[in-house]
Amino acid sequence: MKNGMKKTAAVVMAAMLMGTGAVVPAAEDMGIFSQTAIVAEAASVGKVTGLKSKTLSNSEIQLNWSKVKGASGYTVYMRKNGKYNKLGDCKGTSYTVKKLPNATRENFKVRAYKTVKGKKVYGKYSANWNTATNPQACKGLKVSSVGTDSVKLSWTKIGCTNYRIYQNIKGKWKEIGKTTGTSYTVKKLAPATKYQFKIRACKQDDKKTNNNHYGKYSGVVTATTKKSDKITQADIDAMKKELQEYSNSKAEYVNTHYMEFSTYGEEFNTLEEYYDLCIREKTPNNSGYNDEYTIYFDETDIGGMIQSFKEDLDYLYQRKPKTYLVVYVEINSSYWSVYFLN
C-alpha cells in the first residue's frame, strides 16, 4: 500500500514538473526515485536567451548565446521544410554552422540540456533567430561602353538582393549607386578623364536593421571617358592654369624685383606668395584690363585659343614690361569671358 502511494505521488510530481516545459526521458527500467530525480533536474534546465549570430563567409554562420546556469551542453537546430532539425551539440555558447549555400537566409534555435544518469534532459527552446550568409564575390565586371560623360558597367549575375557600385574618388572608394540588375551607368563624369570602379553583391537582412551581408569586392576596372567635341569647364580650367603659368614666366620684371615692392615682408615673402596674392585680390571690377575676350560654349578649338591668348600676353608684356597680368575667367549666359588683369 505504501509503495503504491509513493508511485502515485511520484507520477503526480512528474506530471506537474513536466508542465514547466522541460523534456523528460522515459523511465524504462529505472527505479521510481531515480525517475523523480530526473524530473526534478529537468525542471531546473533554463531557457537559452541572447541568441545572436555573426556571418563569417558565404557558407558559414557563427551562433552565440548566453550561458545557462548548470547546463551540461546545448543542442543547435536549423529550420528546413518547416521543421527544426538538429545540427549538433556543443559544450560552450558558440556554434559555427558550415557548408551553407551563399546569399541564403536561415532560421535557428538552441536549447540547453543536462545529462542525468546518462540521459539528456532539455530545457525550452530559445526564440527563433534568422540571418543570412554572404553572397559570393562578383565576377565578370567589365566596361560595356564609354561616352564623354558616362561609363556603362556590366557583370555576371549571382544570387543576392542587389549590387553596390563603387568609384575611386581622390584615392578613396565611395559607394555611388546600387541596382538589382547586372549593369549600371555612371553619369555626370568629366570628358577625357580616367576613372576606376568595382562592385560587390549585397544580401539584404531584416529591413528594420542595417545589418546587410556583402560578398567580396570584384576586380577593379578602369575606363577613360571620351574627349568632348565642345569646350567644357575642365578645358577652361586647364587653359586658365596654362595661361597663368605662361603669364608668370613672362613677368620678367616682377620675377627679379618683387623683393623691392613696398609690401614685401608684410603681405608676402616669396615670389609664389606674391602671385597668389594678386590672383586672389584682382577682379575686373578693381583692376585694369586691355580687353574682354569671349569663348562661346559651342567652340571646339581650345588649342588654337590657347596659342592666340599666349600671343596676346606676349604683346601686353612688350607694351608694359613692369606689369604682372592675372588670367581671370568668368562664366556668362552663353560664353566664358577671359580677362588679363593688371
Side-chain angles (χ1 to χ4, degrees):
M1 182 66 179
K2 289 182 179 181
N3 287 339
M5 292 177 63
K6 288 180 181 180
K7 290 181 181 179
T8 302
V11 170
V12 172
M13 181 183 294
M16 292 174 63
L17 291 174
M18 288 175 67
T20 65
V23 180
V24 186
E28 297 179 347
D29 296 328
M30 292 184 289
I32 188 63
F33 292 107
S34 296
Q35 178 66 10
T36 303
I38 291 174
V39 173
E41 288 289 346
S44 67
V45 180
K47 178 181 177 180
V48 170
T49 59
L51 179 59
K52 300 291 182 183
S53 68
K54 179 180 180 181
T55 298
L56 302 180
S57 68
N58 64 337
S59 63
E60 296 184 353
I61 293 173
Q62 184 184 79
L63 302 172
N64 299 278
W65 55 89
S66 300
K67 184 178 181 180
V68 174
K69 185 178 180 180
S72 302
Y74 306 88
T75 301
V76 180
Y77 302 82
M78 184 173 77
R79 191 170 69 188
K80 185 176 182 180
N81 299 326
K83 295 181 179 181
Y84 280 90
N85 301 296
K86 179 179 175 179
L87 291 177
D89 295 332
C90 62
K91 298 296 183 181
T93 57
S94 177
Y95 186 92
T96 298
V97 187
K98 301 180 179 181
K99 297 182 179 180
L100 296 169
N102 64 79
T104 303
R105 184 172 304 284
E106 305 290 359
N107 290 266
F108 302 96
K109 286 184 178 182
V110 179
R111 59 177 177 170
Y113 65 83
K114 286 184 178 181
T115 304
V116 181
K117 299 293 184 180
K119 299 291 183 178
K120 290 179 180 176
V121 181
Y122 288 93
K124 289 184 178 180
Y125 286 99
S126 68
N128 168 71
W129 178 262
N130 74 83
T131 188
T133 51
N134 295 337
Q136 61 179 298
C138 285
K139 300 176 182 178
L141 177 63
K142 64 180 181 180
V143 177
S144 296
S145 62
V146 176
T148 57
D149 61 353
S150 65
V151 171
K152 184 177 181 180
L153 306 170
S154 62
W155 53 88
T156 304
K157 183 178 181 180
I158 61 172
C160 64
T161 306
N162 55 53
Y163 304 90
R164 305 297 175 97
I165 296 85
Y166 298 81
Q167 179 182 335
N168 189 334
I169 301 176
K170 296 181 178 180
K172 295 183 179 180
W173 289 100
K174 180 180 179 182
E175 183 179 326
I176 59 170
K178 63 181 179 180
T179 179
T180 57
T182 55
S183 66
Y184 185 88
T185 300
V186 186
K187 300 179 180 179
K188 297 183 179 180
L189 302 175
T193 304
K194 182 183 291 186
Y195 293 94
Q196 288 185 315
F197 306 98
K198 63 182 179 180
I199 63 171
R200 62 175 175 171
C202 172
K203 174 65 176 179
Q204 188 171 306
D205 208 324
D206 188 339
K207 293 182 179 180
K208 297 180 181 178
T209 73
N210 293 319
N211 188 29
N212 293 326
H213 306 280
Y214 294 94
K216 294 181 179 179
Y217 288 103
S218 69
V220 176
V221 295
T222 301
T224 301
T225 49
K226 294 181 180 178
K227 185 177 180 180
S228 175
D229 57 355
K230 295 181 180 180
I231 293 176
T232 65
Q233 182 65 54
D235 295 326
I236 294 293
D237 292 341
M239 179 197 71
K240 179 181 176 182
K241 181 176 183 295
E242 182 176 345
L243 290 178
Q244 188 62 67
E245 291 174 350
Y246 186 76
S247 178
N248 294 353
S249 70
K250 300 295 290 186
E252 296 178 3
Y253 181 84
V254 171
N255 294 342
T256 56
H257 293 79
Y258 71 94
M259 289 185 290
E260 301 171 11
F261 297 166
S262 59
T263 56
Y264 176 74
E266 297 177 5
E267 295 184 3
F268 66 93
N269 293 294
T270 66
L271 180 59
E272 287 70 23
E273 289 179 358
Y274 177 74
Y275 290 156
D276 292 341
L277 178 65
C278 293
I279 292 170
R280 286 197 310 270
E281 293 186 348
K282 288 188 177 184
T283 69
N285 295 327
N286 64 19
S287 305
Y289 56 90
N290 184 62
D291 198 0
E292 175 187 358
Y293 306 91
T294 57
I295 303 174
Y296 289 94
F297 293 160
D298 59 355
E299 293 282 358
T300 59
D301 186 14
I302 190 70
M305 289 183 178
I306 291 174
Q307 183 58 39
S308 177
F309 283 138
K310 286 182 177 179
E311 293 173 0
D312 291 334
L313 286 169
D314 290 340
Y315 173 74
L316 293 172
Y317 274 112
Q318 288 174 4
R319 286 185 57 197
K320 296 182 179 181
K322 292 187 177 182
T323 193
Y324 174 64
L325 299 175
V326 172
V327 180
Y328 185 92
V329 180
E330 66 180 20
I331 300 177
N332 294 290
S333 59
S334 60
Y335 60 91
W336 285 280
S337 291
V338 181
Y339 303 86
F340 298 139
L341 308 179
N342 55 51

